[in-house]
Amino acid sequence: ISYNKNNFLVFTENGLALCVKDNIPVQGRAAKGVKLMKLKNDKVFSLGVFEEDSILMAFSGGFWKKISVKELRPQNRGGVGVRIFDGKEKLGEIIFVKSIKKDANILAVNQKILKININGIKLQKRIHQPQKITEPMQKIIIMGTPGH
């Protein structure tokens, strides 16, 4: 299965991700929309078209995970998704999910500001747990790279 950059990626607070084929019909004014993902005691954290090859996730406990978009096989809408992390008690709340350019730098904010190069975060398989990289964080900011 090839990955189409027009697919939607949905991430939930409890660690599920769903890559939905872009087959969402155009709705009329009175329409109520379509169901993208089945949720059980969960909430959508992030939804979007992810344009880069890798996705970076950060957790308030200082854990990070970088996966390839190709790990998330496109499915039809209405699916449950696949597990990408587990153990919210250990990791903390998910605070950041975004597709990232290979040469990007990010700022992690707690009492200090830490500049982190994306290349220093190892690409993991979907089934692996996030790695502890920083102290607990409150916010993540992507820094622009020169010439982009």
Side-chain angles (χ1 to χ4, degrees):
I1 293 177
S2 64
Y3 173 73
N4 178 346
K5 293 197 184 252
N6 292 323
N7 293 338
F8 294 97
L9 290 170
V10 182
F11 293 88
T12 72
E13 291 177 353
N14 291 332
L16 295 174
L18 179 66
C19 180
V20 181
K21 295 176 186 176
D22 185 9
N23 61 357
I24 298 171
V26 175
Q27 302 284 309
R29 190 178 71 194
K32 295 183 180 179
V34 295
K35 188 177 210 171
L36 270 184
M37 184 176 191
K38 290 180 187 173
L39 297 173
K40 282 188 174 179
N41 300 321
D42 205 351
K43 294 179 183 176
V44 171
F45 177 78
S46 179
L47 165 69
V49 177
F50 286 65
E51 298 174 348
E52 301 300 328
D53 291 335
S54 59
I55 298 168
L56 183 69
M57 292 165 264
F59 302 84
S60 61
F63 289 84
W64 297 73
K65 184 171 186 175
K66 183 169 72 170
I67 64 171
S68 171
V69 171
K70 293 175 184 171
E71 292 271 335
L72 304 173
R73 196 178 86 225
Q75 301 176 21
N76 289 320
R77 64 181 189 264
V80 176
V82 293
R83 175 118 355 241
I84 53 172
F85 68 85
D86 199 12
K88 242 171 84 170
E89 299 79 29
K90 176 184 171 189
L91 305 173
E93 299 291 322
I94 188 164
I95 59 172
F96 180 86
V97 175
K98 190 150 177 81
S99 60
I100 294 285
K101 293 183 182 194
K102 294 176 187 173
D103 57 351
N105 289 309
I106 55 175
L107 296 177
V109 181
N110 51 25
Q111 274 83 23
K112 302 175 189 171
I113 296 178
L114 305 170
K115 183 177 176 182
I116 300 170
N117 187 306
I118 296 303
N119 293 330
I121 300 174
K122 183 178 145 186
L123 191 66
Q124 295 179 289
K125 295 288 185 187
R126 175 184 64 80
I127 59 173
H128 293 142
Q129 283 295 93
Q131 302 297 310
K132 177 90 169 169
I133 296 179
T134 62
E135 293 300 316
M137 303 168 291
Q138 300 160 346
K139 190 173 182 179
I140 305 297
I141 301 166
I142 299 176
M143 296 175 57
T145 53
H148 288 101

